[in-house]
Short mmCIF file of all heavy atoms in Angstrom, two decimals:
data_model
loop_
_atom_site.label_atom_id
_atom_site.label_comp_id
_atom_site.label_asym_id
_atom_site.label_seq_id
_atom_site.Cartn_x
_atom_site.Cartn_y
_atom_site.Cartn_z
N ALA A 97 0.85 -1.19 -0.04
CA ALA A 97 0.07 -0.01 0.02
C ALA A 97 0.81 1.36 -0.01
O ALA A 97 0.35 2.35 -0.27
CB ALA A 97 -0.97 -0.05 1.23
N ILE A 98 2.09 1.05 0.52
CA ILE A 98 2.95 2.41 0.47
C ILE A 98 4.11 2.40 -0.53
O ILE A 98 5.01 3.15 -0.48
CB ILE A 98 3.51 2.59 1.86
CG1 ILE A 98 4.36 1.41 2.29
CG2 ILE A 98 2.35 2.82 2.87
CD1 ILE A 98 5.12 1.71 3.64
N VAL A 99 4.02 1.50 -1.57
CA VAL A 99 5.07 1.54 -2.61
C VAL A 99 5.26 2.89 -3.25
O VAL A 99 6.23 3.35 -3.38
CB VAL A 99 4.73 0.40 -3.60
CG1 VAL A 99 5.63 0.62 -4.88
CG2 VAL A 99 4.96 -0.98 -3.05
N ASP A 100 4.03 3.39 -3.59
CA ASP A 100 4.09 4.61 -4.43
C ASP A 100 4.69 5.81 -3.66
O ASP A 100 5.29 6.75 -4.19
CB ASP A 100 2.63 5.10 -4.88
CG ASP A 100 2.20 4.28 -6.05
OD1 ASP A 100 3.04 3.49 -6.74
OD2 ASP A 100 1.01 3.98 -6.33
N SER A 101 4.54 5.73 -2.28
CA SER A 101 5.04 6.77 -1.41
C SER A 101 6.42 6.65 -0.96
O SER A 101 7.12 7.48 -0.38
CB SER A 101 4.13 6.88 -0.20
OG SER A 101 2.80 7.07 -0.49
N THR A 102 7.05 5.43 -1.35
CA THR A 102 8.40 5.11 -0.77
C THR A 102 9.48 4.75 -1.93
O THR A 102 10.51 4.78 -1.66
CB THR A 102 8.42 4.01 0.18
OG1 THR A 102 7.90 2.84 -0.42
CG2 THR A 102 7.64 4.40 1.45
N VAL A 103 8.91 4.51 -3.09
CA VAL A 103 9.78 3.98 -4.16
C VAL A 103 10.87 5.07 -4.53
O VAL A 103 12.01 4.75 -4.97
CB VAL A 103 9.02 3.68 -5.47
CG1 VAL A 103 8.25 4.91 -6.04
CG2 VAL A 103 9.91 3.06 -6.38
N SER A 104 10.61 6.41 -4.24
CA SER A 104 11.65 7.39 -4.58
C SER A 104 12.77 7.41 -3.61
O SER A 104 13.89 7.89 -4.05
CB SER A 104 10.96 8.76 -4.64
OG SER A 104 10.52 9.15 -3.25
N PHE A 105 12.62 6.90 -2.50
CA PHE A 105 13.77 7.10 -1.54
C PHE A 105 14.33 5.70 -0.96
O PHE A 105 15.19 5.67 -0.25
CB PHE A 105 13.39 7.94 -0.44
CG PHE A 105 12.33 7.61 0.51
CD1 PHE A 105 12.49 6.82 1.64
CD2 PHE A 105 11.04 8.13 0.32
CE1 PHE A 105 11.50 6.44 2.50
CE2 PHE A 105 10.02 7.73 1.20
CZ PHE A 105 10.20 6.98 2.23
N LEU A 106 13.60 4.57 -1.45
CA LEU A 106 14.16 3.25 -0.91
C LEU A 106 14.80 2.64 -2.16
O LEU A 106 14.35 2.92 -3.24
CB LEU A 106 13.02 2.53 -0.44
CG LEU A 106 12.32 2.94 0.91
CD1 LEU A 106 11.24 2.03 1.29
CD2 LEU A 106 13.39 3.08 2.10
N ASP A 107 15.60 1.79 -1.85
CA ASP A 107 16.51 1.21 -2.89
C ASP A 107 16.00 -0.13 -3.55
O ASP A 107 16.62 -0.62 -4.59
CB ASP A 107 17.98 1.02 -2.34
CG ASP A 107 18.47 2.37 -1.84
OD1 ASP A 107 18.55 3.26 -2.65
OD2 ASP A 107 18.85 2.37 -0.63
N TRP A 108 15.12 -0.74 -2.99
CA TRP A 108 14.53 -2.05 -3.50
C TRP A 108 13.20 -2.33 -2.76
O TRP A 108 12.96 -1.82 -1.84
CB TRP A 108 15.48 -3.15 -3.37
CG TRP A 108 15.84 -3.61 -2.07
CD1 TRP A 108 15.15 -4.37 -1.22
CD2 TRP A 108 17.10 -3.36 -1.35
NE1 TRP A 108 15.79 -4.30 0.04
CE2 TRP A 108 17.06 -3.75 -0.08
CE3 TRP A 108 18.28 -2.53 -1.77
CZ2 TRP A 108 18.02 -3.63 0.91
CZ3 TRP A 108 19.25 -2.46 -0.77
CH2 TRP A 108 19.10 -2.94 0.52
N SER A 109 12.52 -3.41 -3.32
CA SER A 109 11.41 -3.96 -2.53
C SER A 109 11.75 -5.49 -2.41
O SER A 109 12.23 -6.05 -3.26
CB SER A 109 10.18 -3.86 -3.46
OG SER A 109 9.14 -4.68 -2.90
N VAL A 110 11.55 -5.96 -1.14
CA VAL A 110 11.52 -7.35 -0.94
C VAL A 110 9.98 -7.82 -0.70
O VAL A 110 9.37 -7.20 0.17
CB VAL A 110 12.30 -7.81 0.51
CG1 VAL A 110 12.05 -9.22 0.74
CG2 VAL A 110 13.80 -7.53 0.20
N ASN A 111 9.57 -8.67 -1.54
CA ASN A 111 8.12 -9.03 -1.45
C ASN A 111 7.99 -10.49 -1.30
O ASN A 111 8.78 -11.28 -1.94
CB ASN A 111 7.32 -8.71 -2.75
CG ASN A 111 5.96 -9.36 -2.75
OD1 ASN A 111 5.88 -10.42 -3.38
ND2 ASN A 111 5.06 -8.84 -2.00
N GLU A 112 7.11 -10.91 -0.34
CA GLU A 112 6.82 -12.27 -0.24
C GLU A 112 5.41 -12.60 -0.71
O GLU A 112 4.44 -11.83 -0.40
CB GLU A 112 6.85 -12.62 1.34
CG GLU A 112 8.20 -12.57 1.97
CD GLU A 112 8.16 -12.67 3.43
OE1 GLU A 112 7.65 -11.75 4.11
OE2 GLU A 112 8.64 -13.72 4.00
N GLN A 113 5.22 -13.62 -1.56
CA GLN A 113 3.85 -14.08 -1.81
C GLN A 113 2.93 -13.20 -2.63
O GLN A 113 1.72 -13.24 -2.51
CB GLN A 113 3.26 -14.53 -0.54
CG GLN A 113 3.97 -15.66 0.08
CD GLN A 113 3.51 -15.81 1.67
OE1 GLN A 113 3.85 -15.09 2.57
NE2 GLN A 113 2.72 -16.87 1.91
N CYS A 114 3.42 -12.25 -3.44
CA CYS A 114 2.58 -11.48 -4.20
C CYS A 114 1.80 -12.25 -5.34
O CYS A 114 0.62 -11.96 -5.61
CB CYS A 114 3.29 -10.42 -4.92
SG CYS A 114 4.40 -10.82 -6.24
N ILE A 115 2.36 -13.48 -5.74
CA ILE A 115 1.48 -14.31 -6.65
C ILE A 115 0.38 -15.04 -5.85
O ILE A 115 -0.76 -15.05 -6.39
CB ILE A 115 2.47 -15.41 -7.21
CG1 ILE A 115 3.30 -14.82 -8.40
CG2 ILE A 115 1.69 -16.60 -7.83
CD1 ILE A 115 2.51 -14.41 -9.59
N GLU A 116 0.72 -15.52 -4.72
CA GLU A 116 -0.33 -16.23 -3.92
C GLU A 116 -1.51 -15.09 -3.48
O GLU A 116 -2.72 -15.66 -3.59
CB GLU A 116 0.37 -16.71 -2.51
CG GLU A 116 -0.61 -17.47 -1.71
CD GLU A 116 0.08 -17.85 -0.34
OE1 GLU A 116 1.26 -17.82 -0.20
OE2 GLU A 116 -0.76 -18.23 0.57
N PHE A 117 -1.12 -13.97 -3.28
CA PHE A 117 -2.10 -12.97 -2.74
C PHE A 117 -2.57 -12.05 -4.00
O PHE A 117 -3.36 -11.12 -3.83
CB PHE A 117 -1.56 -12.02 -1.81
CG PHE A 117 -1.23 -12.95 -0.48
CD1 PHE A 117 -0.10 -12.71 0.20
CD2 PHE A 117 -2.06 -13.90 -0.01
CE1 PHE A 117 0.34 -13.37 1.35
CE2 PHE A 117 -1.74 -14.66 1.08
CZ PHE A 117 -0.60 -14.35 1.79
N GLU A 118 -2.24 -12.42 -5.28
CA GLU A 118 -2.59 -11.75 -6.44
C GLU A 118 -2.32 -10.16 -6.32
O GLU A 118 -3.22 -9.41 -6.55
CB GLU A 118 -3.95 -11.97 -6.77
CG GLU A 118 -4.04 -13.52 -7.05
CD GLU A 118 -5.57 -13.87 -7.31
OE1 GLU A 118 -6.61 -13.06 -7.08
OE2 GLU A 118 -5.85 -15.06 -7.91
N GLU A 119 -1.09 -9.84 -6.00
CA GLU A 119 -0.92 -8.33 -5.89
C GLU A 119 0.59 -7.89 -6.31
O GLU A 119 1.01 -6.84 -5.92
CB GLU A 119 -1.00 -7.90 -4.19
CG GLU A 119 0.06 -8.65 -3.52
CD GLU A 119 -0.20 -8.39 -1.96
OE1 GLU A 119 -1.16 -7.71 -1.55
OE2 GLU A 119 0.74 -8.74 -1.17
N CYS A 120 1.05 -8.70 -7.25
CA CYS A 120 2.40 -8.30 -7.82
C CYS A 120 2.45 -7.02 -8.48
O CYS A 120 3.45 -6.26 -8.43
CB CYS A 120 2.89 -9.45 -8.66
SG CYS A 120 3.22 -11.05 -7.86
N ASP A 121 1.32 -6.64 -9.04
CA ASP A 121 1.36 -5.28 -9.78
C ASP A 121 1.65 -4.07 -8.81
O ASP A 121 2.07 -3.04 -9.30
CB ASP A 121 -0.04 -4.97 -10.42
CG ASP A 121 -0.20 -5.86 -11.69
OD1 ASP A 121 0.74 -6.52 -12.20
OD2 ASP A 121 -1.30 -5.99 -12.14
N LEU A 122 1.32 -4.26 -7.57
CA LEU A 122 1.67 -3.21 -6.63
C LEU A 122 3.08 -2.79 -6.57
O LEU A 122 3.42 -1.71 -6.26
CB LEU A 122 1.14 -3.52 -5.18
CG LEU A 122 -0.31 -3.69 -4.88
CD1 LEU A 122 -0.55 -4.28 -3.61
CD2 LEU A 122 -1.00 -2.38 -5.20
N PHE A 123 4.03 -3.85 -6.80
CA PHE A 123 5.40 -3.63 -6.68
C PHE A 123 6.15 -3.28 -7.89
O PHE A 123 7.32 -2.83 -7.94
CB PHE A 123 6.00 -4.86 -6.00
CG PHE A 123 5.42 -5.14 -4.65
CD1 PHE A 123 4.22 -6.18 -4.67
CD2 PHE A 123 5.69 -4.64 -3.50
CE1 PHE A 123 3.60 -6.37 -3.60
CE2 PHE A 123 5.05 -4.75 -2.29
CZ PHE A 123 4.08 -5.79 -2.29
N ALA A 124 5.40 -3.19 -8.95
CA ALA A 124 6.04 -2.74 -10.32
C ALA A 124 6.61 -1.42 -10.33
O ALA A 124 7.61 -1.37 -11.10
CB ALA A 124 4.88 -2.87 -11.49
N PRO A 125 6.19 -0.47 -9.56
CA PRO A 125 6.93 0.86 -9.67
C PRO A 125 8.40 0.75 -9.35
O PRO A 125 9.27 1.65 -9.77
CB PRO A 125 6.16 1.69 -8.67
CG PRO A 125 4.82 1.17 -8.57
CD PRO A 125 4.97 -0.32 -8.83
N PHE A 126 8.90 -0.21 -8.50
CA PHE A 126 10.21 -0.39 -8.32
C PHE A 126 11.03 -0.72 -9.50
O PHE A 126 11.98 -0.18 -9.92
CB PHE A 126 10.48 -1.35 -7.11
CG PHE A 126 10.43 -0.72 -5.78
CD1 PHE A 126 9.22 -0.81 -4.99
CD2 PHE A 126 11.59 -0.23 -5.21
CE1 PHE A 126 9.14 -0.14 -3.84
CE2 PHE A 126 11.39 0.38 -3.95
CZ PHE A 126 10.27 0.38 -3.29
N ILE A 127 10.41 -1.70 -10.20
CA ILE A 127 11.00 -2.17 -11.51
C ILE A 127 11.08 -0.92 -12.46
O ILE A 127 12.08 -0.74 -13.18
CB ILE A 127 10.21 -3.24 -12.12
CG1 ILE A 127 10.32 -4.51 -11.29
CG2 ILE A 127 10.81 -3.67 -13.49
CD1 ILE A 127 11.66 -5.12 -10.87
N GLU A 128 9.97 -0.16 -12.53
CA GLU A 128 9.98 0.99 -13.47
C GLU A 128 10.97 2.00 -13.11
O GLU A 128 11.45 2.71 -13.98
CB GLU A 128 8.55 1.58 -13.43
CG GLU A 128 7.50 0.64 -14.02
CD GLU A 128 5.98 0.96 -13.70
OE1 GLU A 128 5.82 2.09 -12.92
OE2 GLU A 128 5.02 0.36 -13.90
N ALA A 129 11.32 2.14 -11.77
CA ALA A 129 12.46 3.00 -11.46
C ALA A 129 13.76 2.46 -11.54
O ALA A 129 14.71 3.05 -11.11
CB ALA A 129 12.09 3.40 -9.92
N GLY A 130 13.87 1.15 -12.09
CA GLY A 130 15.17 0.49 -12.17
C GLY A 130 15.68 -0.02 -11.03
O GLY A 130 16.98 -0.40 -10.90
N LYS A 131 14.85 -0.22 -9.99
CA LYS A 131 15.18 -0.89 -8.69
C LYS A 131 14.70 -2.26 -8.67
O LYS A 131 13.59 -2.56 -9.08
CB LYS A 131 14.76 -0.04 -7.59
CG LYS A 131 15.21 1.41 -7.61
CD LYS A 131 14.54 2.26 -6.58
CE LYS A 131 15.03 3.72 -6.64
NZ LYS A 131 14.56 4.55 -5.50
N PRO A 132 15.42 -3.13 -7.87
CA PRO A 132 14.92 -4.55 -7.87
C PRO A 132 13.66 -4.79 -7.02
O PRO A 132 13.37 -4.10 -6.10
CB PRO A 132 16.12 -5.28 -7.11
CG PRO A 132 17.05 -4.34 -7.02
CD PRO A 132 16.63 -3.04 -7.21
N VAL A 133 12.91 -5.78 -7.42
CA VAL A 133 11.94 -6.47 -6.55
C VAL A 133 12.47 -7.85 -6.27
O VAL A 133 12.46 -8.75 -7.17
CB VAL A 133 10.54 -6.48 -7.16
CG1 VAL A 133 9.54 -7.25 -6.27
CG2 VAL A 133 9.92 -5.11 -7.47
N PHE A 134 12.91 -8.05 -5.03
CA PHE A 134 13.33 -9.37 -4.60
C PHE A 134 12.25 -10.15 -4.03
O PHE A 134 11.65 -9.75 -3.08
CB PHE A 134 14.50 -9.21 -3.52
CG PHE A 134 15.66 -8.37 -3.93
CD1 PHE A 134 16.24 -7.30 -3.36
CD2 PHE A 134 16.59 -8.93 -4.80
CE1 PHE A 134 17.25 -6.55 -3.67
CE2 PHE A 134 17.75 -8.24 -5.26
CZ PHE A 134 18.09 -7.12 -4.63
#
């Protein structure tokens, strides 16, 4: 829920289970910013 508010100053996202919970699109802004989604 806070990806859009933090992607500018954090260096990556670590995500667990976004496939299971059907929410992977939420973390795409990190990829779009050239930052990893682990």
Side-chain angles (χ1 to χ4, degrees):
I98 60 173
V99 165
D100 288 339
S101 299
T102 58
V103 65
S104 65
F105 63 85
L106 296 178
D107 300 301
W108 62 75
S109 163
V110 172
N111 168 261
E112 298 169 289
Q113 300 166 278
C114 72
I115 284 290
E116 181 183 347
F117 299 134
E118 300 182 342
E119 59 182 14
C120 293
D121 287 344
L122 291 176
F123 303 92
F126 276 92
I127 299 297
E128 293 163 4
K131 301 177 180 182
V133 174
F134 296 120

